[in-house]
Amino acid sequence: MKNRNTARRMLGTTALVSVCAMAVTAAQADTSVIDIAEQELFAAIEELSIETGTPIALNARLVSNKTSKAVVGPMSARQALVAMLDDPSLQVEQRADGGLAVVPVGHLNFVSQDANDATDLGELVLGAATPETGTLGPPPPPFAGGQVATGQQLGVLGNRDRLETPLSTTSLTSEFIKNTQATSYYDVIQILPSLQATTTPNQGITNFNSRGVQVSSADITFNGTSNLFFDTQPTLLGIERVESIRAPAALFTGATSAFASVTGGTLNFVPKRAGPENVNTFTFGYQSDGIAFTQFETEQRYGDQGQFGIYFGAELLDGDTQLSFGERFQGSVALALDYEVENFRAAFDLRYMEVRQDGHSREIFGAMGPDIPTSFSADTNPNQPWAFIDNDTVMAALRLEYDIAPETTIFGAISGARHNRASLTGFPSFIEPNGDFTTNVGSFVDDGNTNFNIEGGIRSNFQLGSVSNAFVAAVSYGEIRQRFSFVGFDPADAFTNNIFDPIVSTPPPFLATDPDFDTTEGNFTGVTVANTFGFLQDQLQLTLGLRYQDIEFKNFDGTTGALLNESSGDRFSPGFAALYRISDTFSVYGSYLEGLRNGGTAPLTAVNAGQQLGPVVSDAIEIGAKFDFGSVGFDAALFQIDDVSTGVDPVTNVFGEVGNSRIRGLELNAFGELTPNLRFVGGLTVYDTEISNSANGAIVGESVAGVPDFVIAANLEYDIRQVEGLTVTAGLRHQADARVIQGNEVEIPDWTTVNLGARYDFNDRITARLSVDNVFDETYFNGTTFGELALGSPRTVRASVSVEF
């Protein structure tokens, strides 16, 4: 669908972009009074072209993620364009057709001088740029302030402008990631009030709640593709965007291979690509209590029109964590290649990551009450020095796109990953008011887990009479192979510990052994068809979609390879949405979407032990509004989630669907520039939850465990005008009380953390950053829907210096 924000989204990559006025009404050399405010550079060039009637051609990469200078006063279009760019790496050239071209310094013929290259279609368009039906290329550009983007990717549906997306989303940019000095996505999601971390970076894995529904690392998508990550801690190296999509994702990405539900949404990682300029960046830093961090990134572009790009990054993090006897190692590399010629685009990603946590933290399951102790030191570790978790992952993904006609693209992708994991750990449980808790011991091995995906489809934008259509049809196939062995929970190994006076127990033996055969095989086959109908010149948009998903699971004996059990099932997952553009800056919407997940395996204690449930369906409805005030964006949404829970029925002892949770909420988010030197991102989420159905009738009507009554999160950046290059930052997160577990009245106390920081830019090439998270060293817990208590992160000091060359 062609919408008003096509040019702003700037989906073009190496193709030449022609920005043309409706008619060339004035000679380029003529002087006119120009008044164009500071804004996104591409949008400013559009405005200049309209005001002066001058065609302006450029490569979209050249202005990706850049801000213009304000130009005011009598001047020619060329003079205004030069002032607007204020970039020594770019120059303005005169075109043979009387227009202008923006080209890199030293590339005198980067843009053809042929007048036919600036095709006049009667309105501002992207000319020969990558069409809306493609996804490879620069992602939607940042909003004012640079912390949040103007759009995001919705799986097979492709990139969507924020104001034309009928669900709640936030796309955090690499600039925001860099300035928070994040080493895991735990550090990033703290700014989103609808997301609550349920583990910490010191645990070796990272799970979180999205709108009160548990999400695991394995539910995260990579460039719109699911079934690639494992239950580990994905690195942010080489990640351009972390996109929070707060809605069921079955229609967009299909089923997840994880055991968590994604009815409340998930995250999408968008990988970096080489930018228009060749640049190298070296970062070295420190994180308390003794972690050293180094990172190197290089972006290089080759070809006479920059059609081939290479991004390479490597990082190493190692040292003592803030927790008692904790040590953390994280090493990763990322390679991203992209290529474009005429109507063909390709991108290849190769990533490797290893994370090891010695003395890693663990959540505590349950609490005896009536109160949860929090007066102990925030750096207390409820686990043991001998506990560890070791993960490594290698991932590869190839994505191709070919424009078979204007506004029609066929696409395909193939991807795979291999994961290994081993752990020896304590499992703390049932903390008492005096600090006592019981720890069981277990060890497990995931050896050679593999994931594989293949997908293909077509996106096409076309007109039928007065109705526009944005159509997509796609097929996908995915499989997982797992070798899992767990040994633990021997009562003889259990011991009592105390959160106020921790003890160190005797190191137990590592008992888990590598299975000889696969223990689980899963296959996922899906078909998606969706169309967005645009009425009244796209002012009213109706999206109808349907996904068919077939899931098959088999469980095997890891020693003999014998088939233990198998299950299969299929589901249709519909999606409906309506969006109305009240104006260019204001839209309202409503949607109904379904979440689809693997139902899990019946435990050994169940009558149907080992049985797979197959696909489980939950759903969500949402109504909302989105505003664009130019330099400030504001989103509001009301949502209701009906999340199906699985477990063992206490009466029949059968594992299956045993209940429903109803989660209602109000979500308010704001971001942008409040003033030219003050940036803001944050919001408020208020929850109203209850167990609406359960095999245990005693808990019906109770609030959902782990979900606070409300969450406030905010982050401010202020440029000190008296000291050029100096920026100070402040952040806050407050979570209200939450129930620990169903069946009792014990609550997680409310808590507030405050973050402070500063950075200083030396000549735009060297940046020093210093921040302190949880300044007041607050001791606090995050809860989960499973009744776990995850100890929060203590005071953390981060310092780093980045050098570009």
Side-chain angles (χ1 to χ4, degrees):
M1 174 179 299
K2 190 173 290 185
N3 61 60
R4 301 168 185 81
N5 296 300
T6 302
R8 289 190 62 201
R9 288 212 301 262
M10 201 169 52
L11 301 178
T13 55
T14 57
L16 296 179
V17 179
S18 298
V19 181
C20 306
M22 296 180 63
V24 181
T25 59
Q28 191 278 328
D30 290 347
T31 299
S32 57
V33 178
I34 295 174
D35 185 1
I36 298 177
E38 179 181 343
Q39 58 186 293
E40 174 197 328
L41 182 53
F42 193 77
I45 295 174
E46 289 179 21
E47 190 173 337
L48 177 64
S49 179
I50 293 174
E51 283 195 13
T52 63
T54 304
I56 303 174
L58 69 153
N59 185 301
R61 285 198 182 93
L62 297 178
V63 295
S64 175
N65 300 337
K66 292 186 177 182
T67 301
S68 73
K69 296 290 185 181
V71 289
V72 180
M75 65 188 79
S76 68
R78 183 188 182 102
Q79 291 171 330
L81 184 57
V82 170
M84 181 180 294
L85 293 174
D86 191 27
D87 188 337
S89 68
L90 299 176
Q91 64 186 28
V92 178
E93 291 186 350
Q94 187 73 45
R95 291 171 56 92
D97 61 359
L100 299 173
V102 178
V103 299
V105 171
H107 291 69
L108 299 182
N109 295 314
F110 191 78
V111 177
S112 169
Q113 301 296 299
D114 188 346
N116 291 330
D117 285 341
T119 308
D120 186 357
L121 299 182
E123 59 177 342
L124 286 174
V125 296
L126 278 182
T130 304
E132 288 186 56
T133 49
T135 61
L136 296 182
F143 193 78
Q147 299 172 309
V148 174
T150 56
Q152 69 294 308
Q153 187 180 87
L154 294 180
V156 297
L157 271 64
N159 288 335
R160 290 294 179 98
D161 184 270
R162 167 181 153 265
L163 288 176
E164 296 195 345
T165 301
L167 48 94
S168 186
T169 62
T170 304
S171 179
L172 298 172
T173 66
S174 58
E175 184 72 13
F176 179 81
I177 295 170
K178 178 173 58 179
N179 286 332
T180 57
Q181 304 183 81
T183 56
S184 80
Y185 70 89
Y186 170 90
D187 304 313
V188 176
I189 67 173
Q190 297 302 306
I191 197 57
L192 301 175
S194 291
L195 273 57
Q196 294 98 47
T198 56
T199 58
T200 73
N202 297 315
Q203 194 163 326
I205 59 175
T206 306
N207 299 330
F208 61 97
N209 286 347
S210 180
R211 286 186 168 176
V213 182
Q214 178 81 2
V215 183
S216 80
S217 302
D219 296 310
I220 295 173
T221 60
F222 180 80
N223 212 21
T225 299
S226 63
N227 192 36
L228 273 178
F229 287 110
F230 191 56
D231 191 16
T232 56
Q233 196 175 81
T235 176
L236 292 178
L237 176 71
I239 298 300
E240 180 66 32
R241 300 282 164 81
V242 174
E243 300 178 334
S244 169
I245 301 169
R246 295 181 292 279
L251 181 63
F252 316 138
T253 61
T256 169
S257 60
F259 292 97
S261 174
V262 291
T263 314
T266 186
L267 296 177
N268 179 49
F269 282 8
V270 180
K272 283 185 178 180
R273 304 286 178 229
E277 302 176 17
N278 294 340
V279 61
N280 304 303
T281 305
F282 178 70
T283 301
F284 59 95
Y286 163 87
Q287 178 177 312
S288 58
D289 275 353
I291 291 179
F293 173 72
T294 59
Q295 184 183 84
F296 174 75
E297 296 179 289
T298 182
E299 301 177 34
Q300 305 291 322
R301 192 152 290 283
Y302 301 95
D304 58 350
Q305 294 186 358
Q307 60 266 37
F308 181 64
I310 298 177
Y311 165 87
F312 175 78
E315 69 176 8
L316 182 65
L317 181 152
D318 193 15
D320 295 334
T321 70
Q322 318 94 304
L323 295 187
S324 302
F325 51 77
E327 298 179 21
R328 179 182 174 193
F329 170 85
Q330 179 175 305
S332 55
V333 294
L335 174 68
L337 310 177
D338 67 272
Y339 177 75
E340 179 176 354
V341 57
E342 295 182 351
N343 298 327
F344 174 74
R345 297 171 297 280
F348 175 74
D349 291 278
L350 180 64
R351 303 172 63 86
Y352 173 80
M353 181 191 72
E354 180 178 353
V355 174
R356 181 180 175 95
Q357 295 272 173
D358 291 315
H360 73 111
S361 180
R362 286 293 307 191
E363 68 275 12
I364 301 173
F365 178 80
M368 301 302 291
D371 299 313
I372 296 176
T374 57
S375 58
F376 55 91
S377 175
D379 63 3
T380 300
N381 192 337
N383 212 343
Q384 294 289 308
W386 43 257
F388 76 89
I389 185 167
D390 194 355
N391 304 287
D392 65 80
T393 298
V394 61
M395 176 196 304
L398 173 66
R399 185 169 289 274
L400 309 172
E401 293 181 347
Y402 183 73
D403 306 325
I404 59 175
E407 300 290 340
T408 300
T409 301
I410 56 174
F411 61 90
I414 184 170
S415 58
R418 183 180 177 88
H419 323 274
N420 297 292
R421 181 177 63 160
S423 181
L424 172 65
T425 187
F427 293 88
S429 59
F430 298 111
I431 190 168
E432 300 184 29
N434 66 358
D436 284 346
F437 61 91
T438 301
T439 297
N440 290 284
V441 178
S443 56
F444 58 86
V445 172
D446 286 290
D447 178 51
N449 298 332
T450 59
N451 301 58
F452 172 77
N453 306 280
I454 187 169
E455 63 179 286
I458 184 171
R459 298 188 195 95
S460 182
N461 295 348
F462 55 92
Q463 199 81 15
L464 290 177
S466 62
V467 179
S468 66
N469 297 264
F471 174 79
V472 61
V475 296
S476 63
Y477 172 78
E479 63 180 38
I480 63 170
R481 299 292 183 265
Q482 184 177 14
R483 294 189 175 187
F484 178 74
S485 172
F486 173 77
V487 178
F489 296 156
D490 186 337
D493 295 330
F495 60 93
T496 299
N497 204 342
N498 186 280
I499 200 76
F500 296 107
D501 187 19
I503 65 169
V504 174
S505 69
T506 303
F510 187 89
L511 300 178
T513 58
D514 295 345
D516 296 318
F517 298 92
D518 289 344
T519 55
T520 299
E521 294 182 2
N523 300 294
F524 308 83
T525 303
V527 179
T528 299
V529 178
N531 192 63
T532 297
F533 302 91
F535 305 92
L536 306 176
Q537 296 183 327
D538 292 346
Q539 193 171 4
L540 173 63
Q541 300 176 22
L542 300 179
T543 299
L544 305 177
L546 185 66
R547 181 177 179 89
Y548 169 77
Q549 187 77 58
D550 180 81
I551 300 178
E552 297 180 354
F553 265 93
K554 296 180 180 180
N555 291 316
F556 301 89
D557 186 298
T559 302
T560 66
L563 177 65
L564 298 178
N565 52 66
E566 61 182 313
S567 65
S568 63
D570 56 355
R571 297 278 186 172
F572 284 94
S573 298
F576 313 97
L579 182 143
Y580 186 72
R581 291 292 297 263
I582 295 176
S583 69
D584 286 346
T585 60
F586 177 29
S587 59
V588 294
Y589 67 88
S591 64
Y592 169 86
L593 291 166
E594 291 189 351
L596 189 65
R597 67 179 175 95
N598 169 25
T601 307
L604 296 177
T605 55
V607 171
N608 55 338
Q611 180 182 344
Q612 282 281 346
L613 284 190
V616 173
V617 177
S618 300
D619 59 64
I621 57 175
E622 177 178 339
I623 58 174
K626 301 187 178 189
F627 303 83
D628 183 344
F629 299 109
S631 61
V632 174
F634 180 75
D635 297 342
L638 289 168
F639 61 87
Q640 176 173 300
I641 297 170
D642 180 21
D643 192 42
V644 176
S645 58
T646 59
V648 178
D649 189 301
V651 178
T652 64
N653 201 34
V654 174
F655 180 79
E657 296 185 14
V658 294
N660 298 74
S661 301
R662 192 265 296 145
I663 302 174
R664 291 174 179 160
L666 166 66
E667 185 180 86
L668 304 174
N669 291 291
F671 46 87
E673 289 183 331
L674 299 177
T675 68
N677 63 327
L678 179 61
R679 294 169 294 281
F680 171 86
V681 57
L684 164 71
T685 301
V686 180
Y687 292 99
D688 174 25
T689 71
E690 72 170 8
I691 304 299
S692 54
N693 181 38
S694 176
N696 178 7
I699 67 171
V700 173
E702 289 187 357
S703 58
V704 176
V707 183
D709 293 334
F710 66 91
V711 181
I712 300 172
N715 185 78
L716 288 167
E717 293 190 350
Y718 183 74
D719 301 329
I720 305 297
R721 291 178 175 175
Q722 293 79 4
V723 184
E724 185 176 356
L726 178 62
T727 301
V728 294
T729 63
L732 176 144
R733 184 177 179 94
H734 175 79
Q735 288 189 192
D737 297 343
R739 181 184 294 274
V740 175
I741 195 170
Q742 258 68 60
N744 65 41
E745 298 299 322
V746 183
E747 289 190 336
I748 304 169
D750 67 325
W751 55 266
T752 303
T753 56
V754 175
N755 306 329
L756 297 174
R759 66 176 181 270
Y760 186 78
D761 290 332
F762 302 83
N763 63 28
D764 294 327
R765 291 292 181 181
I766 302 175
T767 304
R769 298 177 176 88
L770 174 67
S771 64
V772 182
D773 299 340
N774 193 5
V775 171
F776 301 108
D777 208 21
E778 173 99 348
T779 299
Y780 64 95
F781 287 102
N782 279 295
T784 75
T785 54
F786 305 116
E788 298 164 330
L789 294 165
L791 188 58
S793 290
R795 181 190 297 119
T796 304
V797 178
R798 305 171 194 264
S800 65
V801 175
S802 297
V803 181
E804 288 189 3
F805 55 95

